[in-house]
Amino acid sequence: MGDVNRQWRLARRPRGEAAKDDFEFVEAAVPRTLRPGEILIRNRYLSLDPYMRWRMDDAKSYAPPVAIDDPMVGSTIAEVVRSDDSAFRPGQMVLAQGGWQDYAVASSSSLRIVDEAVEPTAFLNVLGSPGFTAYAGLMKIGMPKQGQTVVVGAATGPVGSMVGQLAKRAGCRAVAIAGGPEKCRLAVDHFGFDAAVDHRGGDLAGDLAKACPDGVDVYFENIGGRVLDAVLPLLNDFARIPVCGVVSQYDGDESDGTRLASVMRDTLVKRLSWRGFIVTDFAAHRGEFLEMITPLVKTGAIVSLEDVVDGLEHAPEAFIGLLKGRNRGKLVIHIA
Amino acid sequence: MGDVNRQWRLARRPRGEAAKDDFEFVEAAVPRTLRPGEILIRNRYLSLDPYMRWRMDDAKSYAPPVAIDDPMVGSTIAEVVRSDDSAFRPGQMVLAQGGWQDYAVASSSSLRIVDEAVEPTAFLNVLGSPGFTAYAGLMKIGMPKQGQTVVVGAATGPVGSMVGQLAKRAGCRAVAIAGGPEKCRLAVDHFGFDAAVDHRGGDLAGDLAKACPDGVDVYFENIGGRVLDAVLPLLNDFARIPVCGVVSQYDGDESDGTRLASVMRDTLVKRLSWRGFIVTDFAAHRGEFLEMITPLVKTGAIVSLEDVVDGLEHAPEAFIGLLKGRNRGKLVIHIA
C-alpha cells in the first residue's frame, strides 16, 4: 500500500462549462483508522459520467452538490485493502462510490461484490448505473411493445446504446440519433440499431421522419434541444417519454422556437406521458435488472464499448471531453 | 310530436374566436323512419362544453371535426319518443349524444337510461363527462395522497369544481384558481376549496405560493399560460400533472417566457409526471365512478352548479359566452 492518496478535489464551482482549474490534484494521506463497518478500498477503475457536472453546481437537484475542497464523487471498481468484515476479503473486487482518488473508506453496506467472470468495467457501464438507467427508463416508463418504434439520442453513449439493445430485445424498431457519420455507423453496426440519424446532418427533422415511417412510440429523452424538436411531430398517440439526462442540456438556448404551449397541446391531443426519473427511483428493480442482463453480457448478446483512459491524473481533461461529446463509448479512467 | 326539428348546424369553420355567424339555425324534418336498433329521441337538455370549439376546427385531434352543414354535436338528456327496443320505452329519460337540435335518431347502444331520482342536468355535469373527466384525471393520473396539495384552474367550472371536491375527499388541501373575487368566493363557500387565488389579482405567483405553503403535489392542468407558469416553481418532487382541457387554451401567446427547456429541467430534477388524457381513455372506469359518485350527489355531499339557459335558439351566444369565461357553473341549454 502506498503512503499517498491522490485526490481530485473540487476547487471552485464552474462558471458555465467545466474547466481544468475547477479541479485541484492533491496528495492526501491514506486513511489508517477504520471504524466498525468501514472498509479501506483501492480504486482501480473510475466511471466518469455527465451527472458529475451537475454535482459541481450549488443548485437544487436530486443529489447534494460536492462541497468545495471535497474529492469529486464517482463510482469505482475497487479492490478491498483492509476489512474487519468477513464478507469482504482483501483482494476482492467491489463496486463502490470510491470517488476521484486512489483510496477511499467505504461503509460495507455501500459496497457490492462483483462477478469476476465479467470484465470489471462492465459494472460501470452495461451492468452499472448507465445500463440500469436505460433499463429503468425504457422498460418501466417507456413500456415498449412489439412492433413499436423507440428513438434515443446520444445513441452510442452508455445509456443510449443500452436503450437501443433493450428496444430490439422487446421487438421494437430502434432508431439512433448520434453526432456524425462515425457514431451513426457504430450505432447500427456495433449496437444493432435499425437506423441512425446524424443530428449534424443538416435535415434532422426530415431524416428522422424517414427513419421512423410509423412514427415514434417511445422517445427516451436524454438530449433535449433540436433533437426534441425533431421528435415532437413524429410522436404517436399515447407515446411515452422517459426524461433522463443531464440537466445542463436544458440550460442553453438550443430549443429555439419550441414553446411550451405547443408541447402542452401535443401532450393533450396525443395523450402523451412525460416522466422525469433518476435511476435511484427504481432501486427496487436493480436485482431483476442484474439477473436479466448479466448472462446476456457474458454471452455477448448485449455489447458495450468503453473508452478507457489510463491514469487518474487525466480525469479532469477526460471529463471535460466527455461533456463536449468527444468520447465514443463509456468513459472510464484506469487508475492503477 | 312536432313536425319540425330545429337544428344548429356548423355553417363555416371559425377564424380565431367562434362567432354567431359560424352557426346556422335551420328547420329540418323530424326523422320518420327508423332502422332496427335505432331510437327516436327528443332532447330536453343540451350540454355546452369547451371541447366543442375544437370540434369546429378541421385539425388533427382526438375526435373528428364536425362537417360543414352537419348539426353541432353534444351530450343531451332526452326523452324516448319512438322505440322498437323493449329496453327503451317512450317517455323514459336517457343520456344521449343528441346534438344541438330538437330531435335525434340514436342507436340503442349509445343511450344510457338515467336515474330519475337525480336532477337530470346532473348527468351532463357531476355525473357526466365533466365529473368523470375530473375523476379520471385526478384519481387515475393525479393519484392524490392524504395531506398533499392539489391545485386546479377554472376551479368553479364543472371539471375544476369536481376536482376540488374529490381532492378534499382524498384528504388533500384543495387550492382553486379562478377569475375574479366572486368566483373565488364560490370556490371556497360552495365547493369547499381550502383556498382560492384570483388569477386576475395582480400577483398570481405570490398569491399561489402563499396558498400552497407545502408546495404542489398534483396540478390538474386545464388552463395553461400564466397559471402554469405560476404553478411550475411550486411543484414538489414526484408531482403529477394530468393534462386536460381545451387545446385552444394553448394556442395563444399567453405563456410568454416559459420555455420548454425550463420545464424539461424541472421534469428531470423533480421527477415530474405529465400525462395528457381525454375522458374516453378511461371508459372502463365509468361504472366505478358512477357507483361512487351517484349516492354522494343524491345526499348533497357532492354539489354542483348549473347555469341553465332557456331555449335552443340561444345556444350559440351561450356557447360563445362560455368560451369567454362568462358562465359561473356548468352551462346547459333547456331545450323544451
Side-chain angles (χ1 to χ4, degrees):
Chain A
M1 181 187 347
D3 290 315
V4 164
N5 183 20
R6 296 174 305 157
Q7 294 183 320
W8 279 108
R9 294 183 180 173
L10 180 63
R12 62 178 190 197
R13 306 219 174 271
R15 298 185 176 258
E17 293 186 1
K20 186 120 197 290
D21 289 348
D22 298 335
F23 305 90
E24 189 187 12
F25 204 36
V26 301
E27 299 199 339
V30 178
R32 304 215 162 265
T33 52
L34 297 177
R35 284 174 295 188
E38 285 184 341
I39 290 169
L40 180 66
I41 59 173
R42 178 162 193 172
N43 292 318
R44 296 300 186 189
Y45 292 94
L46 165 66
S47 177
L48 292 182
D49 302 280
Y51 77 84
M52 294 165 171
R53 170 64 189 83
W54 185 242
R55 299 288 293 275
M56 298 170 76
D57 286 340
D58 188 17
K60 176 174 164 52
S61 183
Y62 35 74
V66 175
I68 299 290
D69 288 334
D70 266 10
M72 286 290 294
V73 293
S75 297
T76 57
I77 294 293
E79 190 184 327
V80 173
V81 175
R82 197 142 50 84
S83 160
D84 292 333
D85 185 331
S86 60
F88 297 93
R89 299 180 314 276
Q92 219 166 18
M93 299 301 284
V94 293
L95 176 64
Q97 288 299 313
W100 297 27
Q101 55 191 345
D102 287 314
Y103 293 91
V105 172
S107 70
S108 58
S109 64
S110 73
L111 301 179
R112 211 176 64 230
I113 295 166
V114 299
D115 183 342
E116 295 194 26
V118 177
E119 188 67 30
T121 52
F123 292 100
L124 303 175
N125 191 3
V126 277
L127 295 175
S129 287
F132 187 43
T133 299
Y135 178 85
L138 183 67
M139 305 309 283
K140 302 302 173 188
I141 301 176
M143 292 178 288
K145 287 173 195 66
Q146 176 109 23
Q148 294 191 328
T149 298
V150 174
V151 172
V152 63
T156 58
V159 176
S161 61
M162 186 67 161
V163 168
Q165 293 181 82
L166 291 172
K168 288 303 296 175
R169 299 191 73 84
C172 293
R173 177 173 176 79
V175 176
I177 298 176
E182 194 211 350
K183 284 186 178 173
C184 285
R185 269 194 302 275
L186 192 65
V188 174
D189 296 347
H190 186 66
F191 291 116
F193 281 89
D194 293 292
V197 172
D198 182 356
H199 66 71
R200 298 180 192 146
D203 180 19
L204 173 57
D207 293 344
L208 187 62
K210 275 181 219 135
C212 304
D214 300 321
V216 176
D217 301 290
V218 181
Y219 172 49
F220 192 103
E221 161 63 320
N222 61 350
I223 191 159
R226 292 170 52 241
V227 173
L228 177 57
D229 291 352
V231 171
L232 278 170
L234 303 176
L235 290 172
N236 290 330
D237 283 0
F238 302 106
R240 289 80 65 196
I241 305 107
V243 179
C244 165
V246 182
V247 168
S248 59
Q249 288 163 342
Y250 302 111
D251 277 348
D253 50 356
E254 298 173 78
S255 185
D256 35 65
T258 298
R259 294 191 68 89
L260 181 59
S262 91
V263 172
M264 295 299 284
R265 189 190 309 117
D266 281 358
T267 297
L268 179 55
V269 172
K270 299 184 181 178
R271 287 95 104 198
L272 306 177
S273 293
W274 304 73
R275 182 169 160 197
F277 76 102
I278 58 172
V279 69
T280 47
D281 299 341
F282 291 89
H285 295 278
R286 198 182 273 268
E288 119 200 355
F289 157 74
L290 286 171
E291 210 164 292
M292 172 181 165
I293 305 299
T294 307
L296 298 173
V297 171
K298 282 184 181 171
T299 63
I302 282 192
V303 298
S304 66
L305 186 69
E306 281 119 30
D307 290 356
V308 179
V309 172
D310 251 307
L312 180 60
E313 62 275 21
H314 299 303
E317 62 195 76
F319 177 63
I320 291 165
L322 169 73
L323 295 179
K324 295 190 168 156
R326 292 202 184 125
N327 59 308
R328 290 196 335 154
K330 173 71 186 85
L331 181 59
V332 173
I333 299 288
H334 180 221
I335 295 182
Chain B
M1 182 189 344
D3 290 314
V4 163
N5 183 21
R6 296 174 304 156
Q7 295 182 319
W8 279 108
R9 294 182 179 173
L10 180 62
R12 63 179 190 196
R13 306 218 175 272
R15 297 181 178 261
E17 292 187 1
K20 188 124 196 290
D21 289 348
D22 300 332
F23 305 90
E24 189 187 13
F25 204 36
V26 301
E27 301 200 340
V30 178
R32 302 220 164 264
T33 52
L34 297 176
R35 284 175 296 188
E38 286 185 342
I39 290 169
L40 180 66
I41 59 173
R42 179 162 192 171
N43 292 319
R44 296 301 187 189
Y45 292 95
L46 165 66
S47 177
L48 292 181
D49 302 281
Y51 77 84
M52 294 166 171
R53 170 63 189 80
W54 185 243
R55 299 288 292 275
M56 298 170 77
D57 286 339
D58 188 16
K60 176 175 165 48
S61 183
Y62 35 75
V66 175
I68 300 292
D69 289 335
D70 267 10
M72 286 291 294
V73 294
S75 297
T76 59
I77 294 293
E79 190 185 327
V80 173
V81 175
R82 197 141 50 82
S83 160
D84 291 335
D85 186 330
S86 61
F88 297 93
R89 299 181 315 278
Q92 218 167 17
M93 297 303 283
V94 291
L95 176 63
Q97 287 299 313
W100 297 29
Q101 55 190 345
D102 288 314
Y103 292 92
V105 172
S107 70
S108 58
S109 63
S110 73
L111 301 178
R112 209 175 66 230
I113 294 164
V114 299
D115 182 340
E116 296 194 26
V118 176
E119 188 67 31
T121 51
F123 292 99
L124 303 176
N125 191 2
V126 277
L127 294 175
S129 288
F132 186 42
T133 298
Y135 178 86
L138 183 67
M139 305 309 283
K140 302 301 172 186
I141 301 177
M143 291 178 289
K145 287 173 196 66
Q146 176 108 24
Q148 294 191 327
T149 298
V150 174
V151 172
V152 64
T156 59
V159 176
S161 60
M162 185 67 161
V163 168
Q165 293 180 82
L166 291 172
K168 287 303 296 175
R169 298 191 73 83
C172 293
R173 177 173 176 80
V175 177
I177 299 177
E182 195 212 348
K183 285 186 178 173
C184 284
R185 268 193 303 275
L186 192 64
V188 173
D189 295 346
H190 187 65
F191 293 115
F193 281 89
D194 294 292
V197 172
D198 183 355
H199 65 71
R200 299 180 192 146
D203 180 19
L204 174 55
D207 292 345
L208 188 62
K210 273 180 220 135
C212 303
D214 300 321
V216 176
D217 300 290
V218 181
Y219 172 49
F220 192 102
E221 160 63 321
N222 62 351
I223 191 160
R226 291 171 52 241
V227 172
L228 177 56
D229 292 352
V231 171
L232 277 170
L234 303 176
L235 290 172
N236 290 330
D237 284 358
F238 302 105
R240 288 80 64 195
I241 305 108
V243 179
C244 166
V246 182
V247 168
S248 58
Q249 287 164 343
Y250 301 111
D251 278 348
D253 50 358
E254 298 172 78
S255 185
D256 36 66
T258 297
R259 296 190 66 90
L260 180 59
S262 92
V263 171
M264 294 299 284
R265 189 191 309 117
D266 281 358
T267 297
L268 179 55
V269 173
K270 298 182 180 178
R271 286 95 105 198
L272 307 177
S273 292
W274 305 74
R275 181 169 161 198
F277 75 103
I278 59 173
V279 70
T280 49
D281 299 340
F282 291 89
H285 296 278
R286 198 181 275 267
E288 119 199 355
F289 158 74
L290 286 171
E291 210 163 291
M292 172 180 164
I293 305 300
T294 307
L296 299 172
V297 171
K298 283 183 181 172
T299 63
I302 283 193
V303 299
S304 64
L305 187 69
E306 281 120 29
D307 290 356
V308 179
V309 173
D310 252 307
L312 181 61
E313 62 276 19
H314 300 303
E317 63 194 76
F319 177 63
I320 291 164
L322 169 73
L323 295 179
K324 296 191 167 154
R326 291 202 185 124
N327 59 307
R328 288 196 338 153
K330 173 73 187 83
L331 180 59
V332 173
I333 299 288
H334 181 223
I335 295 183

